[in-house]
Amino acid sequence: AALFVSGAACAIAVWCAVYWFILRRLAKIQAAVVTVGATQQLGQRVELTGRDELAELATAINATWDAVRTAEIARRQIDERLRQVVDSIEDVVWSMDPLAQQVLFVSPSVTAIFGVHPAAALASRGPWQLQVVTDDAERVQRSFNALRDGGTLDLKYRICCPDGEVRQVHNRARMIVDAHGIPLRIDGIC
């Protein structure tokens, strides 16, 4: 009976040691994942050595974080290049929500052409509609309505800038739809 008790105690002790070893290793993985989730800092590493499944999991997590970090750097570089391209174009590049009729994006050249700050253009339905000369307003409204109904826009009309200067603009745009034909946005250049 004593041998049985010491054998059972030994088995329990071994099981507890293995259980503690595995839990400690899992806790390291969990701590790293929680830290990355909270801080979004993908430089965090899961430091776990060995040749078991948990070490392989740690290696896979680190590789995933490296891939995400690399993709994020590439996305930032693309965003910066795109911003530089849009900023270098003299025409106004714009995007609008067709349902809310709210400007989503407008390039800085809106100041030179329409005489309004980009922030003011974003807060409006678009300076290309609000500053239209009265004689052109009905034609412009019909064209924008047709655009919202799924058409395209290729229209020259006059605007009145805040300083009173009247200018002719050429606005071109098209409706962007998803795979099911649902309108996502209107993108244009003026």
Side-chain angles (χ1 to χ4, degrees):
L3 184 59
F4 176 75
V5 171
S6 74
C10 183
I12 290 173
V14 168
W15 184 88
C16 286
V18 168
Y19 186 72
W20 178 79
F21 176 74
I22 291 171
L23 282 182
R24 193 176 60 145
R25 291 169 65 82
L26 280 172
K28 282 184 176 182
I29 294 173
Q30 180 187 17
V33 170
V34 167
T35 299
V36 168
T39 65
Q40 301 297 309
Q41 297 297 319
L42 296 174
Q44 175 76 29
R45 309 301 290 166
V46 178
E47 300 298 335
L48 205 58
T49 58
R51 294 183 180 194
D52 61 356
E53 289 85 358
L54 292 177
E56 290 176 12
L57 176 61
T59 300
I61 290 170
N62 290 335
T64 301
W65 288 343
D66 290 344
V68 170
R69 188 172 52 248
T70 300
E72 178 64 20
I73 291 168
R75 186 197 58 79
R76 285 183 188 151
Q77 290 171 341
I78 290 169
D79 286 352
E80 178 60 21
R81 260 185 260 130
L82 180 59
R83 186 196 60 76
Q84 290 172 354
V85 168
V86 168
D87 288 355
S88 72
I89 296 173
E90 291 179 4
D91 291 333
V92 178
V93 177
W94 59 273
S95 185
M96 180 177 194
D97 181 324
L99 301 175
Q101 296 186 13
Q102 182 65 38
V103 179
L104 303 171
F105 173 83
V106 65
S107 63
S109 56
V110 72
T111 303
I113 295 177
F114 288 91
V116 296
H117 191 273
L122 287 171
S124 73
R125 290 183 54 205
W128 40 89
Q129 290 180 306
L130 299 177
Q131 295 176 256
V132 176
V133 171
T134 305
D135 292 345
D136 294 347
E138 187 178 321
R139 182 172 54 89
V140 170
Q141 189 59 51
R142 277 194 317 267
S143 296
F144 269 88
N145 288 343
L147 173 63
R148 276 191 288 279
D149 291 339
T152 60
L153 178 76
D154 188 348
L155 183 65
K156 291 181 181 177
Y157 56 94
R158 294 169 293 159
I159 60 167
C160 184
C161 295
D163 64 3
E165 179 185 355
V166 175
R167 295 182 183 165
Q168 183 166 2
V169 295
H170 185 189
N171 207 340
R172 293 148 329 265
R174 68 183 185 105
M175 179 71 71
I176 306 300
V177 297
D178 68 11
H180 304 288
I182 297 173
L184 298 175
R185 66 184 186 279
I186 299 170
D187 291 341
I189 188 165
C190 183

